[in-house]
Amino acid sequence: MSSTITAFERSPDGGKGLARDTRARWALEETGQPYKVRLVSFAEMKKPAHLALHPFGQIPTYEEGDLTLFETGAIVFHIAEQHAGLLPEDANARARAITWMFAALNTVEPPILDLVTARIVEGNRSWSQERLPLVAERIRAQLKQLSTRLGDADWLDGAFSAGDLLMVSVLLRLRMSGILDEYPNLAAYVARGEARPAYRRAFAAQLAINAPTTG
């Protein structure tokens, strides 16, 4: 059954793969599932029709028959559970992969999002420059542990999984800050994720929507 996801009509990042619909696209591409994309504007995201799908007025949403989901973690988990390719068959390895999904979204991502907020939303506040180093240090504390755990392995726990998909997606937000480059094995880990054919297809699809028009 084909699914439908929602995405920004115009992504704030200009199609660089940071919008969260990329995560859903990537999961669908990894599992070889067909899907459609319904584009929504910022105004449409706050209207009743979209709020019925996503109560917080964000993207992406995921529709499959009479099932509607929101939150990328839930969407990726559902896709991974329903289709082979993102979760191991072994029960223990599967549980560990799911643990890494939670770690990416609950432990690693929050301070990274704080950095984005501090730089973009709060950048003109008088206390912003004092707060930025504190936020950056919280990020480094998590990356140090993650770097140690990854070591010289290609992926977090054996074969590539949904845990890696979400972790790479989260770490991508750090590229412009330069912090990711302080941990060469994590930078290489992210590059491996980006090199996967499924990611490249997902990235290209989002970029095509946001490509500037000419004429």
Side-chain angles (χ1 to χ4, degrees):
M1 180 184 297
S2 178
S3 57
T4 300
I5 64 171
T6 49
F8 287 123
E9 184 179 73
R10 279 292 167 190
S11 178
D13 74 342
K16 296 178 181 177
L18 301 183
R20 285 181 173 82
D21 64 282
T22 305
R23 303 175 185 184
R25 294 173 188 267
W26 188 4
L28 289 162
E29 294 286 354
E30 285 283 353
T31 54
Q33 299 306 304
Y35 65 98
K36 300 175 183 177
V37 180
R38 185 170 65 254
L39 302 179
V40 292
S41 66
F42 284 101
E44 290 169 333
M45 288 165 59
K46 306 306 177 184
K47 291 183 178 179
H50 187 75
L51 290 172
L53 304 176
H54 196 311
F56 303 106
Q58 299 174 343
I59 60 97
T61 58
Y62 175 94
E63 298 167 74
E64 179 188 294
D66 59 0
L67 173 67
T68 299
L69 298 174
F70 62 96
E71 294 293 334
T72 53
I75 292 169
V76 171
F77 184 45
H78 172 75
I79 294 168
E81 278 204 310
Q82 296 299 312
H83 309 288
L86 284 175
L87 287 176
E89 292 185 7
D90 175 77
N92 287 348
R94 188 182 187 91
R96 291 194 301 269
I98 293 168
T99 297
W100 280 115
M101 293 177 67
F102 278 86
L105 300 179
N106 292 352
T107 301
V108 179
E109 186 169 41
I112 294 174
L113 294 180
D114 277 349
L115 182 65
V116 174
T117 300
R119 286 185 164 174
I120 298 175
V121 180
E122 302 168 347
N124 61 347
R125 303 296 179 90
S126 60
W127 38 261
S128 176
Q129 292 307 307
E130 294 180 7
R131 182 168 184 258
L132 278 171
L134 300 176
V135 175
E137 284 310 305
R138 287 200 294 272
I139 293 171
R140 290 185 176 98
Q142 306 296 6
L143 295 193
K144 179 181 178 181
Q145 299 302 115
L146 182 63
S147 175
T148 298
R149 181 58 181 265
L150 179 65
D152 59 1
D154 283 347
W155 307 113
L156 291 169
D157 194 290
F160 178 86
S161 75
D164 295 295
L165 186 153
L166 289 178
M167 189 67 78
V168 168
S169 297
V170 165
L171 294 177
L172 274 167
R173 291 183 174 273
L174 280 176
R175 175 162 288 157
M176 294 299 291
S177 72
I179 296 176
L180 184 63
D181 293 331
E182 298 173 18
Y183 305 86
N185 67 331
L186 294 183
Y189 169 67
V190 170
R192 281 192 293 276
E194 290 180 292
R196 293 181 69 83
Y199 177 83
R200 294 168 74 111
R201 291 192 296 271
F203 181 92
Q206 194 199 55
L207 182 61
I209 293 169
N210 290 275
T213 58
T214 59

